[in-house]
Every structure is written in C-alpha cells, then in structure tokens.
Amino acid sequence: MDAIIMAGGFGSRLGMGEKPVVELLGKPLISYVIDALENTESIGKIYVAVSPATPTTGSIVQNRYDGRVEVIDTMGGNYVADMVYAVKAAKITEPVMILMSDIPLLNPELIEQIIEEYNNCGTPAMSVFSPIYVCKGLGIRPDTVFNWKGKLIVPAGINILDGKDVENEQPYVSLIREDLELALNINTVAELQKCKEMLSEISNESTAQSKVSSD
Ligand SMILES: Nc1nc2c(ncn2[C@@H]2O[C@H](COP(=O)(O)OP(=O)(O)OP(=O)(O)O)[C@@H](O)[C@H]2O)c(=O)[nH]1
Ligand SMILES: [Mg+2]
C-alpha cells in the first residue's frame, strides 16, 4: 500500500513556521512519519503533498530521502482538494494511506496493524480515531471531536481510502485505537513539549534497560 503524507498546511496553531519541518529532538516532525513508513513492510511508495505554504518541507524531504520519497506540489488552502489531487498525481488506483505529518510517535507495528484492520474491514475507506479519554489522559484538549455510538472520539490523522474512487465520498469504518502514539498530534506548543517529554522518557527507559542488560 502506498502512503501520502499531507504537509501543506499553515501550521498556524503551532506558530513556528512550516509545521512538518519543526524540529523535535533534532529531527523534523515529518521525518518521524516518513521513517516509520519506510520501516513498514506493507508500505510501498511514499509521497509528501506540499503546498506554496511549505516550500522548505519539499526541499528538506528531497534532500533527506534522496529520491526515495516523492514530493507532490498541491495548490494549498483546501485539504480535501489537495488530497484528491495528490492521489491522482501519484496515479494510485488501489487503497492508499493518507497521513498527517504531525504524528511523530507513529511506528511500523501500528501501521501494520492498521493495514491489517483495513484488509479485514470490507469497506472502501477507514479512519483511525482515539477515544477522547486517551487524549485527556495525556493532558490534550483536542479541538475536533466526533460522537461515535455515544463515545467521543478524535481523528488520529490516518485514513485509508480507495485511490480509484478518490473523487467520491466513500463508505468508511471508524477504527478506534487506544494507543497513546496515535493520540498525540502536534498542533500546539504544549503538544510539542509533551511529545518531547514522552520521547525523552522512552529513550531514558531504553538506556536504563541496556545498562541493566550490560551489567
Ligand atoms: N497539501 C495540504 N496539506 C494540508 C492542508 N491543510 C493541512 N495540511 C496538512 O495536513 C496535516 C494536518 O493538518 P493540521 O494539523 O491542521 O496542520 P496545519 O493546517 O498546518 O495547522 P493549523 O494551521 O494550525 O490548522 C498537516 O501535516 C498539514 O501540513 C492543505 O490544504 N493542503
Ligand atoms: Mg489545519
């Protein structure tokens, strides 16, 4: 399955310039998503949809991934129109994963599990959500919330849809996942800070573990 990362927004809530290339522990945000996708067996080609609002994102991705990731120039200003344009420009006529650039804790295991859920769902499209209590547990107050069968859920920024029918609204299923990694979208400075803390904790834990195993 190919993947398209949407990366042409204004980043206005974060207010640090082009959000996809804002650095998190020395690495651009979008690189966390690209690296996770590159390490996922079931993912084929990776595309990044930039816009006139994100020129640096395009050049950084091109330099860093040396032709392995294709940059698509969209018009900007309309997320859905840009997504349709990108799927067509990439000539994808099969199911395609559309992701946000701001989910840095995403990892290959989660991506594989999401693809497996899609393959078993029997519906053309699937959207991934986090229950609101997972976001609240992280101290995040999401500004987009849906009501699903009486539960409040928040879009995780990962969708799969059928590329050959991208211009039409497709029936979709909601995949609700409790993983913290999917609940942490970076929209604000507070979320960026929270993510820094979580990544530092993970790296401290693994340092402690390797110390224990070498002792
Ligand atoms: N190509 C393209 N990408 C978009 C567009 N709008 C948002 N995106 C990307 O989609 C992802 C999720 O969007 P948001 O989290 O709202 O990011 P944003 O629009 O840059 O930030 P805000 O201005 O704070 O809403 C980000 O990776 C954006 O770069 C668009 O109109 N065109
Ligand atoms: Mg936006």
Side-chain angles (χ1 to χ4, degrees):
M1 182 181 293
D2 292 341
I4 300 177
I5 306 170
M6 298 298 290
F10 292 105
S12 38
R13 281 167 292 175
L14 190 57
M16 294 173 69
E18 295 184 30
K19 182 163 80 171
V21 292
V22 163
E23 293 215 341
L24 172 61
L25 304 177
K27 181 166 141 176
L29 271 185
I30 194 170
S31 279
Y32 287 85
V33 179
I34 296 176
D35 295 351
L37 290 166
E38 279 204 313
N39 289 307
T40 305
E41 192 104 2
S42 301
I43 291 292
K45 237 182 145 289
I46 303 166
Y47 301 85
V48 173
V50 299
S51 80
T54 54
T56 309
T57 300
S59 52
I60 287 182
V61 166
Q62 244 140 9
N63 291 338
R64 214 175 156 106
Y65 296 93
D66 196 26
R68 299 201 305 285
V69 175
E70 193 171 316
V71 173
I72 297 172
D73 291 302
T74 64
M75 296 254 291
N78 182 331
Y79 181 90
V80 175
D82 285 356
M83 185 195 72
V84 171
Y85 178 88
V87 172
K88 289 184 152 188
K91 298 192 171 65
I92 298 171
T93 54
E94 289 175 4
V96 54
M97 182 176 279
I98 312 286
L99 305 97
M100 311 288 188
S101 66
D102 59 2
I103 7 178
L105 301 178
L106 188 62
N107 62 55
E109 294 73 34
L110 277 173
I111 299 169
E112 287 292 5
Q113 286 167 17
I114 290 166
I115 293 175
E116 198 183 321
E117 294 277 0
Y118 175 78
N119 288 337
N120 293 330
C121 81
T123 308
M126 191 177 87
S127 282
V128 185
F129 295 88
S130 307
I132 196 161
Y133 58 81
V134 177
C135 303
K136 289 202 169 151
L138 286 170
I140 296 169
R141 297 177 135 269
D143 43 29
T144 309
V145 178
F146 293 96
N147 188 323
W148 179 81
K149 299 181 182 170
K151 290 181 179 156
L152 296 180
I153 57 171
V154 181
I158 304 176
N159 299 287
I160 299 177
L161 49 86
D162 193 352
K164 69 173 177 301
D165 201 21
V166 67
E167 266 165 305
N168 298 314
E169 191 142 339
Q170 301 178 10
Y172 76 96
V173 287
S174 305
L175 175 67
I176 320 289
R177 296 278 314 209
E178 292 187 328
D179 314 78
L180 299 181
E181 291 86 348
L182 295 172
L184 195 58
N185 283 92
I186 310 297
N187 286 312
T188 63
V189 171
E191 285 156 2
L192 185 65
Q193 187 55 36
K194 176 78 198 168
C195 195
K196 259 182 212 164
E197 287 163 17
M198 287 173 72
L199 283 170
S200 314
E201 265 170 40
I202 294 167
S203 82
N204 286 344
E205 274 167 25
S206 60
T207 315
Q209 253 163 20
S210 59
K211 197 170 176 303
V212 168
S213 56
S214 67
D215 282 348

